[in-house]
Amino acid sequence: MQIDNETKIRMLKEMLKIRSFEEKIQELYHAGYIPGSMHLSTGQEAVPVGVCLNLLKSDYLLSSHRGHGHVLAKGGEYKYMMAELYGKKTGYCGGKGGSMHFANVKIGVLGTNGIVGGGICIAAGVGFSIKYQKSEKVTVCFFGDGAANTGAFHEGLNFAAVLKAPVVFIIENNQYAISVPRKLSDCVEDLSIRAAGYNMPGVTVDGNDVMAVYETAKTAVERARSGGGPALIECRTYRWHGHHAGEPKDGLVYRSQEEIDSWKEKCPIKRLREALIAGNIITEKEVDTLEKEFQQELERAIDFAEKSPYPDAEALYENVYIDEG
Amino acid sequence: MRQITFREALNESLRYNMRNDDRVFCWGEDIGVLGGAFGVTAGLINEFGPGRVIDTPLSEIAIVGAGIGAALGGLRPVVEIMYIDFTPGCMDMIINQMAKIHYMFGGQSKVPMVLRIVTGAMGENAAQHSQSFYSFFVHTPGLIVVTPTTPYDAKGLLNTSIASENPVIFVENKRTVNIKGEVPEENYTIPFGNADVKRQGEDLTIVATQALVYDALKVAEEMEKEGVSIEVVDPRTLKPLDKETIFNSVRKTGRLIVADEGCIHCGIASEISALVAQEIIEYLDAPVIRVGSPDTPCPFSPPLEKAYIPGKQELREAIAKIM
Ligand SMILES: Cc1ncc(C[n+]2csc(CCOP(=O)(O)OP(=O)(O)O)c2C)c(N)n1
């Protein structure tokens, strides 16, 4: 498959958008500006970007607790995300959700999720609604390798297959569920082989190679969009930091520095950036400019979040039910 | 006496039981090298090895279900589900299996298993990591429900739970995990269904659970200066419930506030209020007041979460109303 240069540049841009966000909020979290708990996706940027570049604004997305990257790749804006992280009224969920519970239905983000595996069965049903209404949308559902061991994973994939629902399930395999490594969690090499049990395509791909993710997702998304049913893609990647921001020793209790460093070597952004510069597709200077623009946008987002008010006291009682008069 | 935290008291009990009974083992997510999300199992894997302190796949149905199976096979599992918020995903195992096997099969088999879960709102963890709905479990015949407050109670009640032939839901509140208290080094047990009067008083009874016990004790101290003498009763186990200790206190004071972090509607506070109304209403000088979480999910935003979590402020308001 030939990927045009414009798309490659967009890939880099989108990954930088996520990386810049994650690094900035990590700083803000440690400085005490962001309350609650927060799961960073630094190092995993190629997955949301490679997948979401195949999506339309009207397509649906469901995600996990580690969802900032997915929301950004689907078109989420810094300022509303930042305001949500700060617990402000102007955030995507009015401050009700925070890091683990982002949603922006206008761009198809039906929700990240504090419950591991919580989105998988829901995605099957969202897919069904698309098919039922004879629309041509697609649903993508991101979750971790840990989530692939929930009962919900098996029920959700099977039902999606039975329904022939247009859903692309993405396992973002970063090798750990908090401290528990793959070898204590499952007995397979490729999690994608589980797709065979539901008679849907299952592919494992280098999740730090954004072009490989893009191409694999393209096949699955097009197949789903044209009525071919669901697929499962496993993207092999790694989270650079602790399970959550502020985890003791930043993940070193159960992982070695050598392991972390070896994955940093395989940084998806560095990889694409070097390839694009070597191929004269972008210049060093243009990349710097992109990075600076994201930094400026982040400063504006922080300013917006800081100046925004907290929700009114009555907000506690709002949205529990829809008022039907 | 020596002071240790609630977390350390539980750790001590687990160690004691694992040393003394080979049938006892622990499993759950991240309980090994990480020592559990709240550090309760810290270091156990070093002493007992990964064969008895088992990090599980992220599979709540199997964690509870296979725990039940291990108990049926003769072991004494101490199973951890990190947050109560994750138990709905395996509720069938808890409600339809763990609770019912002994009864349904005519008493032939037993499930001597302890299911440890963490509850409570704290630290802006929002709707899916802040709940306290253990009243669901009280509502289910066949389960023992234990809600220790102090490190002393934690150790004694975990010992009793592990020794029990019945399935036990052992509830640990986030806000109390790191609070210290006096705990004897030697081993001891606290019977189920045995409430503890945490403070003596004459004018008002506050029946409180877990973090709200500490809040009630602080407020009681403040109120003492204003001439209101408050008795604080901690049920310690919600099933079985020590009605007599609660009733005796209410007979003495004539006023009752029940404080529990669960949502007020249909919670344990409602049950205790109903029992008092049904059995000793003639002793009440004022309507009972329940203090608990509002009938909403827990919001993320710090000021909203603060308003959500019941505590000293809500107790003071209730006292102002009842006196
Ligand atoms: C049902 C459920 N069980 C446990 C947890 C606690 N928890 C949060 S994230 C996590 C690990 C998730 O691992 P994985 O699915 O691989 O995603 P990752 O964090 O690696 O991105 C656990 C155990 C939870 N939130 N929900």
PDB file of all heavy atoms in Angstrom, chain B residues 26-41:
ATOM      1  N   CYS B  26      -3.850 -16.393  48.715  1.00  0.00           N
ATOM      2  CA  CYS B  26      -4.446 -15.136  48.264  1.00  0.00           C
ATOM      3  C   CYS B  26      -4.322 -15.030  46.756  1.00  0.00           C
ATOM      4  O   CYS B  26      -3.296 -15.421  46.187  1.00  0.00           O
ATOM      5  CB  CYS B  26      -3.696 -13.927  48.842  1.00  0.00           C
ATOM      6  SG  CYS B  26      -3.631 -13.872  50.619  1.00  0.00           S
ATOM      7  N   TRP B  27      -5.348 -14.509  46.120  1.00  0.00           N
ATOM      8  CA  TRP B  27      -5.157 -14.082  44.737  1.00  0.00           C
ATOM      9  C   TRP B  27      -5.989 -12.862  44.415  1.00  0.00           C
ATOM     10  O   TRP B  27      -6.943 -12.537  45.120  1.00  0.00           O
ATOM     11  CB  TRP B  27      -5.306 -15.200  43.723  1.00  0.00           C
ATOM     12  CG  TRP B  27      -6.646 -15.810  43.415  1.00  0.00           C
ATOM     13  CD1 TRP B  27      -7.880 -15.231  43.461  1.00  0.00           C
ATOM     14  CD2 TRP B  27      -6.847 -17.149  42.932  1.00  0.00           C
ATOM     15  NE1 TRP B  27      -8.834 -16.119  43.046  1.00  0.00           N
ATOM     16  CE2 TRP B  27      -8.239 -17.294  42.702  1.00  0.00           C
ATOM     17  CE3 TRP B  27      -5.998 -18.216  42.637  1.00  0.00           C
ATOM     18  CZ2 TRP B  27      -8.783 -18.494  42.223  1.00  0.00           C
ATOM     19  CZ3 TRP B  27      -6.550 -19.391  42.150  1.00  0.00           C
ATOM     20  CH2 TRP B  27      -7.927 -19.530  41.953  1.00  0.00           C
ATOM     21  N   GLY B  28      -5.580 -12.197  43.343  1.00  0.00           N
ATOM     22  CA  GLY B  28      -6.234 -10.963  42.937  1.00  0.00           C
ATOM     23  C   GLY B  28      -5.306 -10.215  41.984  1.00  0.00           C
ATOM     24  O   GLY B  28      -4.181 -10.662  41.735  1.00  0.00           O
ATOM     25  N   GLU B  29      -5.783  -9.104  41.478  1.00  0.00           N
ATOM     26  CA  GLU B  29      -4.969  -8.334  40.536  1.00  0.00           C
ATOM     27  C   GLU B  29      -3.916  -7.517  41.283  1.00  0.00           C
ATOM     28  O   GLU B  29      -4.245  -6.798  42.231  1.00  0.00           O
ATOM     29  CB  GLU B  29      -5.883  -7.403  39.720  1.00  0.00           C
ATOM     30  CG  GLU B  29      -6.797  -8.182  38.779  1.00  0.00           C
ATOM     31  CD  GLU B  29      -8.009  -7.383  38.314  1.00  0.00           C
ATOM     32  OE1 GLU B  29      -8.046  -6.158  38.521  1.00  0.00           O
ATOM     33  OE2 GLU B  29      -8.935  -8.001  37.754  1.00  0.00           O
ATOM     34  N   ASP B  30      -2.677  -7.669  40.871  1.00  0.00           N
ATOM     35  CA  ASP B  30      -1.578  -6.849  41.407  1.00  0.00           C
ATOM     36  C   ASP B  30      -1.312  -7.030  42.899  1.00  0.00           C
ATOM     37  O   ASP B  30      -0.806  -6.136  43.550  1.00  0.00           O
ATOM     38  CB  ASP B  30      -1.835  -5.367  41.105  1.00  0.00           C
ATOM     39  CG  ASP B  30      -1.995  -5.109  39.621  1.00  0.00           C
ATOM     40  OD1 ASP B  30      -0.973  -5.103  38.915  1.00  0.00           O
ATOM     41  OD2 ASP B  30      -3.146  -4.955  39.159  1.00  0.00           O
ATOM     42  N   ILE B  31      -1.635  -8.213  43.445  1.00  0.00           N
ATOM     43  CA  ILE B  31      -1.400  -8.410  44.878  1.00  0.00           C
ATOM     44  C   ILE B  31       0.007  -8.928  45.166  1.00  0.00           C
ATOM     45  O   ILE B  31       0.431  -8.959  46.309  1.00  0.00           O
ATOM     46  CB  ILE B  31      -2.424  -9.372  45.516  1.00  0.00           C
ATOM     47  CG1 ILE B  31      -2.224 -10.798  45.010  1.00  0.00           C
ATOM     48  CG2 ILE B  31      -3.857  -8.898  45.261  1.00  0.00           C
ATOM     49  CD1 ILE B  31      -2.855 -11.829  45.924  1.00  0.00           C
ATOM     50  N   GLY B  32       0.731  -9.316  44.117  1.00  0.00           N
ATOM     51  CA  GLY B  32       2.057  -9.896  44.311  1.00  0.00           C
ATOM     52  C   GLY B  32       3.134  -8.846  44.492  1.00  0.00           C
ATOM     53  O   GLY B  32       3.241  -8.224  45.552  1.00  0.00           O
ATOM     54  N   VAL B  33       3.928  -8.655  43.458  1.00  0.00           N
ATOM     55  CA  VAL B  33       5.051  -7.721  43.531  1.00  0.00           C
ATOM     56  C   VAL B  33       4.589  -6.327  43.970  1.00  0.00           C
ATOM     57  O   VAL B  33       5.259  -5.648  44.741  1.00  0.00           O
ATOM     58  CB  VAL B  33       5.743  -7.630  42.151  1.00  0.00           C
ATOM     59  CG1 VAL B  33       6.881  -6.622  42.182  1.00  0.00           C
ATOM     60  CG2 VAL B  33       6.267  -8.995  41.737  1.00  0.00           C
ATOM     61  N   LEU B  34       3.440  -5.923  43.495  1.00  0.00           N
ATOM     62  CA  LEU B  34       2.952  -4.584  43.831  1.00  0.00           C
ATOM     63  C   LEU B  34       2.365  -4.529  45.245  1.00  0.00           C
ATOM     64  O   LEU B  34       2.254  -3.457  45.835  1.00  0.00           O
ATOM     65  CB  LEU B  34       1.897  -4.143  42.807  1.00  0.00           C
ATOM     66  CG  LEU B  34       1.795  -2.644  42.542  1.00  0.00           C
ATOM     67  CD1 LEU B  34       3.089  -2.103  41.962  1.00  0.00           C
ATOM     68  CD2 LEU B  34       0.648  -2.350  41.584  1.00  0.00           C
ATOM     69  N   GLY B  35       1.974  -5.652  45.764  1.00  0.00           N
ATOM     70  CA  GLY B  35       1.423  -5.680  47.125  1.00  0.00           C
ATOM     71  C   GLY B  35       0.002  -5.166  47.231  1.00  0.00           C
ATOM     72  O   GLY B  35      -0.444  -4.777  48.304  1.00  0.00           O
ATOM     73  N   GLY B  36      -0.707  -5.151  46.088  1.00  0.00           N
ATOM     74  CA  GLY B  36      -2.098  -4.678  46.091  1.00  0.00           C
ATOM     75  C   GLY B  36      -2.186  -3.188  45.884  1.00  0.00           C
ATOM     76  O   GLY B  36      -1.250  -2.454  46.206  1.00  0.00           O
ATOM     77  N   ALA B  37      -3.321  -2.744  45.385  1.00  0.00           N
ATOM     78  CA  ALA B  37      -3.480  -1.327  45.067  1.00  0.00           C
ATOM     79  C   ALA B  37      -3.339  -0.465  46.321  1.00  0.00           C
ATOM     80  O   ALA B  37      -2.938   0.692  46.251  1.00  0.00           O
ATOM     81  CB  ALA B  37      -4.833  -1.086  44.404  1.00  0.00           C
ATOM     82  N   PHE B  38      -3.655  -1.031  47.480  1.00  0.00           N
ATOM     83  CA  PHE B  38      -3.546  -0.264  48.717  1.00  0.00           C
ATOM     84  C   PHE B  38      -2.509  -0.843  49.678  1.00  0.00           C
ATOM     85  O   PHE B  38      -2.482  -0.516  50.857  1.00  0.00           O
ATOM     86  CB  PHE B  38      -4.928  -0.134  49.378  1.00  0.00           C
ATOM     87  CG  PHE B  38      -5.864   0.684  48.532  1.00  0.00           C
ATOM     88  CD1 PHE B  38      -6.608   0.097  47.521  1.00  0.00           C
ATOM     89  CD2 PHE B  38      -5.949   2.056  48.701  1.00  0.00           C
ATOM     90  CE1 PHE B  38      -7.443   0.854  46.708  1.00  0.00           C
ATOM     91  CE2 PHE B  38      -6.771   2.822  47.892  1.00  0.00           C
ATOM     92  CZ  PHE B  38      -7.523   2.218  46.896  1.00  0.00           C
ATOM     93  N   GLY B  39      -1.669  -1.715  49.164  1.00  0.00           N
ATOM     94  CA  GLY B  39      -0.530  -2.198  49.956  1.00  0.00           C
ATOM     95  C   GLY B  39      -0.856  -3.238  51.012  1.00  0.00           C
ATOM     96  O   GLY B  39      -0.005  -3.559  51.845  1.00  0.00           O
ATOM     97  N   VAL B  40      -2.052  -3.789  50.994  1.00  0.00           N
ATOM     98  CA  VAL B  40      -2.448  -4.725  52.055  1.00  0.00           C
ATOM     99  C   VAL B  40      -1.632  -6.022  51.994  1.00  0.00           C
ATOM    100  O   VAL B  40      -1.285  -6.605  53.016  1.00  0.00           O
ATOM    101  CB  VAL B  40      -3.961  -5.014  51.982  1.00  0.00           C
ATOM    102  CG1 VAL B  40      -4.351  -6.171  52.901  1.00  0.00           C
ATOM    103  CG2 VAL B  40      -4.746  -3.759  52.349  1.00  0.00           C
ATOM    104  N   THR B  41      -1.297  -6.466  50.786  1.00  0.00           N
ATOM    105  CA  THR B  41      -0.564  -7.731  50.669  1.00  0.00           C
ATOM    106  C   THR B  41       0.944  -7.519  50.498  1.00  0.00           C
ATOM    107  O   THR B  41       1.664  -8.447  50.102  1.00  0.00           O
ATOM    108  CB  THR B  41      -1.099  -8.566  49.479  1.00  0.00           C
ATOM    109  OG1 THR B  41      -1.057  -7.748  48.298  1.00  0.00           O
ATOM    110  CG2 THR B  41      -2.522  -9.023  49.705  1.00  0.00           C
TER     111      THR B  41
END
